[in-house]
Amino acid sequence: MIKVCKFGGTSMADANAMLKVKQIIESDKTRKFIVVSAPGKRNKADIKITDVLYSCYDELLKTGSCEKNFSIIRERFVKIVEDLKLNIDINAVLDQTEKEICESKSADFAASRGEYLSAIVMSSLLGYDFIDAASMIRFDSDGNLNEDYTNDKVKSKIKGHDNAVVPGFYGKDSSGNVKTFSRGGSDITGSIIARGVKADLYENWTDVSGFLVCDPRIVPEAKVIKQLTYKELRELSYMGASVLHSEAIFPVMRERIPINIKNTFKPEDAGTMIVPSEMYNPADDSVITGIAGKKNFTVIFIEKSLMNSEVGFIRKVLSVVEHFGICVEHVPSGIDTLSVVIESGQLENGVLSDIVSEIRESVNPDYVHVIENISLIATVGHGMARRSGTAAKIFTALAEKGINIRMIDQGSSELNIIIGVANSDYENCIATIYNTFIK
Ligand code: ADP
Ligand code: ASP
Ligand code: MG
């Protein structure tokens, strides 16, 4: 039996949290391979080490040194090592790290050092070997993970180690420079290592007792989801449930390895099991599994009579958007209508009006209308396919609360109903759907 355990930022925040992590690992001998994040916030007002490292890079660009911001990193790690009474020359490691950040002149390299330092500290605390992620994880020149190369490297590097600590969040690009995943990417590293060692379980330790039906910052009493399928996880994490990085599912999915989301500060709680559908066997079978959402989308609404009989209409609209190098989030359509939903951040600096003009020229629509400041909210549950009336129940509840639905898109998977509401209705909408389905 092998377990790979990833510990997030709060689990690495200070010596106390790290001691809790040690206890968890030592209580189960199968917890052999450990992936760590950089120290996160110790309290609400605190700042994540990764954020300080990005500031080091900014300072370096402006002044040629990162001394000011690096002193915050130094203070945090010196205190951790002192509190843990570890026998490592942390000042020498920090001096070398600061020097390398200055020499590399790379934001990714700077950001990666939080995980690197965390892993050095944890390997000393646990007496486990340290294996650098840069020697295993490889990105292609297009920036995507080279899965086969990485998997082979993980297998060969880890062979011969009974146990080890691996820093999360980064690997190397095709030119040999350190490159990070997007934010929260240590979850992906954990999944890669779990796949490489063919783990029986990937434990993802965080600061909540599992994947909750919705964001606890919106509904504080949100219940824990006991079991979740890979597909549901993908929908929820892609739609903003930030507890697990949306790409973390893929490596473990290849080997059908379950993920267990656990709470470092309440290790006795069962947490959430995320399993392939063939293993799914929940005690309670609720209609909806979870609700997640993201703010700040723009909807371009296009109307043209007999649009459906015009060959290539949708293709022409989408190629306008593609021409601007922009990703489309959703394309809900009706008989004579088509909406293109795009993340608003991609449409700044006049891009939106250029796209609208080009759409007008390209397909000569009867009417084009832009709706900005839209939030997308996904209600996910594989139980929805077997039961009728879920959408009607959502719409009725929202109508009763006076929340105007601006857009609807029911995914073809029947796993997901996505609605668009004004940003100002975001929290209220999620809370209303929660209260309608979860007792
Ligand atoms: P870590 O540093 O351990 O990776 P994250 O901050 O990335 O932790 O993720 C955990 C946080 O995700 C929780 O503290 C919680 O505020 C937030 N979160 C958002 N949506 C959910 C959800 N549906 N279930 C649980 N946590 C959620
Ligand atoms: N430390 C990185 C971040 O803050 C990666 C991670 O925690 O997963 O995004
Ligand atoms: Mg995270």
Side-chain angles (χ1 to χ4, degrees), residues 13-76:
D14 57 18
N16 237 335
M18 287 183 176
L19 285 171
K20 288 202 165 67
V21 169
K22 180 178 156 83
Q23 227 172 32
I24 289 166
I25 294 169
E26 289 180 346
S27 70
D28 180 345
K29 287 280 168 269
T30 64
R31 293 184 173 133
K32 289 174 185 291
F33 299 102
I34 312 301
V35 173
V36 293
S37 281
K41 294 183 180 190
R42 291 160 293 188
N43 51 61
K44 269 210 167 122
D46 203 9
I47 173 158
K48 285 182 165 192
I49 286 291
T50 309
D51 292 319
V52 186
L53 285 162
Y54 282 116
S55 303
C56 282
Y57 174 72
D58 292 340
E59 184 187 341
L60 181 69
L61 287 191
K62 282 191 204 122
T63 69
S65 139
C66 61
E67 213 179 328
K68 200 166 135 251
N69 281 288
F70 199 80
S71 68
I72 303 171
I73 309 280
R74 194 177 282 278
E75 202 181 305
R76 284 279 293 269

Side-chain angles (χ1 to χ4, degrees), residues 6 184 187 242-243:
K6 177 259 171 179
D187 293 330
S242 57
V243 60

Side-chain angles (χ1 to χ4, degrees), residues 27 42 95 114 138 159 218 222 232 258 264 280 286 310 312 373 399 405:
S27 70
R42 291 160 293 188
D95 288 345
R138 172 69 76 86
K159 213 195 252 165
I218 298 173
E232 289 170 324
T264 299
Y280 185 71
S286 49
E310 195 175 318
N373 303 317
I405 301 174

Side-chain angles (χ1 to χ4, degrees), residues 93-158:
V93 178
L94 289 162
D95 288 345
Q96 178 67 17
T97 303
E98 184 175 358
K99 189 167 149 249
E100 285 172 2
I101 290 175
C102 293
E103 285 166 0
S104 76
K105 296 192 178 59
S106 146
D108 278 22
F109 181 81
S112 73
R113 295 303 89 184
E115 273 65 16
Y116 172 82
L117 293 165
S118 254
I120 299 262
V121 171
M122 279 312 290
S123 72
S124 164
L125 181 65
L126 296 169
Y128 279 20
D129 299 334
F130 169 89
I131 306 178
D132 197 346
S135 68
M136 300 186 279
I137 295 176
R138 172 69 76 86
F139 297 91
D140 283 331
S141 50
D142 59 8
N144 292 324
L145 177 71
N146 184 330
E147 289 194 47
D148 292 339
Y149 178 97
T150 299
N151 197 41
D152 287 347
K153 276 283 179 198
V154 171
K155 281 189 200 154
S156 64
K157 285 272 173 189
I158 285 194

